[in-house]
Structures are given as C-alpha cells and as structure tokens.
C-alpha cells in the first residue's frame, strides 16, 4: 500500500510543469505565432473590394499605378468626380488634369499622411455633399488606409469602398522578396505608429532611414 503522504505529493505535482516542459511549450507557442505571421501578415494588409457606383473616387498619392486605377474606375462610370488627395505630391495633380476633364477633378493639397488624407477628404465630401466614395491606393497600403479612414469616419453616414491597384508586392510569400519584406514590416510599424498618433512626413523620414538600408535595393 502506497503511503498517503506520497499520494498527496504525486497529486500536487500533476498540475506542475517541469522547467523543460515550460520552455518547450513556450517555444512551440512562439513558433506557431511566427508561422501564423508568415502566412497571414501579407494577406492581412491587402484589401480589394468590389467597386460600385459612388459619388466620388478618391486617389491617394504615394505609389505608382494609383492614378491609373482611379482613372480606370472613373472611365468605367463608377463616379463622375475624382478627389486627388495630397495631389501636389508626385505630380499627381498635373497628371490628373492632363488625362481627365478639369471640371471632374477636386484637389486636396494639405495632407501629409494617410490619416491627414482621411481628415481632409472627409471635409471635401461634406462640402460637396458626397455620401459615398471609392478609395484607391496600392494593395499593400489598403489595410492602413481602411484603419485610418475608419477612425476618422466612425459614426458618420458615409459609405467607403476600398479598391486596390495591383503592384509587385507578393502577400503570399512576402518574406521571400527583399522589397516585399521591407514593405510588410514598414506597414506594420506605420500602423502601430498611427495608433499612437505618429503621422506625417517627419515620421516617414525617420522610418525610412532605419528601414531602407536593410530592406530595399
């Protein structure tokens, strides 16, 4: 017969993991989180919704192909007005007025960040009594666009649709390509920064100084 004291000790130890077991469990959890991040981090950034007829199309500056995508939607009849946000950057406004009737384009020239674009575009939508819009930006940028616009438009009756233009970014195997890797890390850092109120050109310059040397060719 096993002494009662030994049985009690065995029962107490059933719920106690050894240090080795704890380390193994922690390592497994970290590995699973890492694999989950690899598989879904890129896909999470990309949002591309089905377009439909709206009051205006909004194109954000900062990436190749965005204006072309917005013009494609305009010419397909999804809206008769195009808001060019931060339009004085990257020659966006000049290209827009060269390709479209001047009367169909509205310039927003104050934004210095994605959050600023949300703020100033909302003011323009209210001014022109627009209730719906298609937002156009690069595929990898769309999660941050939606995050910032949702914060600014929360509680309003505006309808926003997020339509991406295709880029060379590969969300499925983003870690296999130096540029896609840099974009992914950069976007997550910016989303975290936006959460804590970090916006604008100075924040971008600081970020790029640290990242371009590692992730961009």
């Amino acid at each position: 017969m096993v002494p009662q004291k030994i049985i009690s000790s065995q029962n107490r130890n059933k719920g106690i993991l050894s240090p080795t077991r704890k380390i193994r469990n922690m390592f497994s959890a970290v590995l699973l989180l890492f694999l989950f991040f690899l598989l879904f981090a890129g896909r999470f950034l990309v949002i591309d919704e089905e377009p439909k007829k709206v009051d205006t199309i909004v194109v954000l500056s900062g990436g190749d192909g965005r204006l072309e995508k917005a013009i494609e939607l305009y010419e397909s009849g999804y809206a008769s007005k195009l808001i060019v946000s931060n339009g004085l950057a990257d020659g966006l406004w000049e290209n827009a007025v060269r390709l479209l009737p001047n009367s169909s384009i509205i310039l927003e020239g104050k934004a210095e960040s994605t959050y600023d674009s949300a703020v100033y575009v909302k003011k323009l939508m209210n001014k022109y009594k627009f209730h719906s819009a298609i937002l156009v930006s690069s595929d990898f940028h769309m999660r941050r666009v939606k995050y910032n616009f949702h914060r600014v438009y929360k509680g309003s009756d505006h309808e926003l649709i997020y339509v991406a233009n295709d880029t060379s970014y590969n969300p499925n195997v983003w870690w296999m390509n130096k540029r896609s890797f840099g974009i992914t890390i950069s976007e997550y850092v910016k989303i975290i920064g936006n959460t804590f109120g970090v916006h604008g050109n100075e924040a971008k310059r600081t970020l790029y100084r640290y990242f371009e040397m590692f992730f961009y060719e």
Side-chain angles (χ1 to χ4, degrees):
M1 181 176 179
V2 181
Q4 185 65 35
K5 188 177 289 187
I6 295 176
I7 294 174
S8 298
S9 176
Q10 290 174 342
N11 288 337
R12 284 197 302 270
N13 290 335
K14 282 182 180 179
I16 301 175
L17 295 177
S18 68
T20 303
R21 182 82 176 273
K22 286 182 180 179
I23 292 172
R24 189 183 301 121
N25 288 348
M26 288 176 60
F27 178 78
S28 298
V30 170
L31 181 60
L32 285 173
L33 286 173
F34 177 71
L35 291 174
F36 183 85
F37 184 74
L38 282 181
L39 288 173
F40 296 105
R43 300 177 198 179
F44 179 74
L45 292 178
V46 176
I47 298 174
D48 188 18
E49 298 176 344
E50 191 70 26
K52 67 177 184 179
K53 193 169 180 61
V54 291
D55 296 325
T56 185
I57 298 165
V58 180
V59 57
L60 279 65
S61 69
D64 294 337
R66 297 180 185 183
L67 179 60
E68 289 78 4
K69 182 66 176 182
I71 291 175
E72 175 190 320
L73 293 167
Y74 170 88
E75 292 178 341
S76 296
Y78 287 105
S80 58
K81 295 291 183 180
L82 177 68
I83 296 176
V84 181
S85 184
N86 192 21
L88 299 179
D90 305 323
L92 197 64
W93 170 255
E94 291 85 350
N95 289 329
V97 296
R98 181 170 53 84
L99 297 169
L100 294 175
N102 213 334
S103 59
S104 66
I105 310 170
I106 301 169
L107 172 64
E108 183 286 293
K110 296 180 180 179
E112 294 185 350
S113 68
T114 303
Y115 182 83
D116 287 349
S117 287
V119 172
Y120 291 119
V121 166
K122 184 180 180 183
K123 289 181 179 180
L124 286 174
M125 289 185 69
N126 289 334
K127 176 182 177 180
Y128 289 95
K129 295 181 171 52
F130 295 151
H131 298 288
S132 58
I134 292 174
L135 300 175
V136 178
S137 190
S138 305
D139 47 11
F140 58 81
H141 183 220
M142 291 306 290
R143 177 62 61 180
R144 188 155 54 91
V145 172
K146 186 170 185 177
Y147 175 68
N148 281 285
F149 272 76
H150 179 74
R151 292 170 68 196
V152 172
Y153 283 73
K154 188 176 181 180
S156 76
D157 61 352
H158 296 96
E159 181 184 10
L160 303 177
I161 301 168
Y162 301 86
V163 177
N165 72 281
D166 293 331
T167 68
S168 61
Y169 178 71
N170 190 332
N172 297 316
V173 287
W174 56 270
W175 62 90
M176 297 291 291
N177 175 275
K178 191 174 182 180
R179 182 174 180 274
S180 293
F181 186 93
I183 286 172
T184 303
I185 301 301
S186 173
E187 283 299 313
Y188 277 96
V189 170
K190 288 176 183 178
I191 289 172
I192 293 170
N194 292 168
T195 302
F196 291 97
V198 180
H199 308 284
N201 289 330
E202 185 56 39
K204 291 177 184 178
R205 284 192 289 270
T206 301
L207 177 68
Y208 291 146
R209 277 199 298 270
Y210 284 104
F211 277 90
E212 68 182 354
M213 65 181 71
F214 298 106
F215 302 130
Y216 293 93
E217 299 176 352

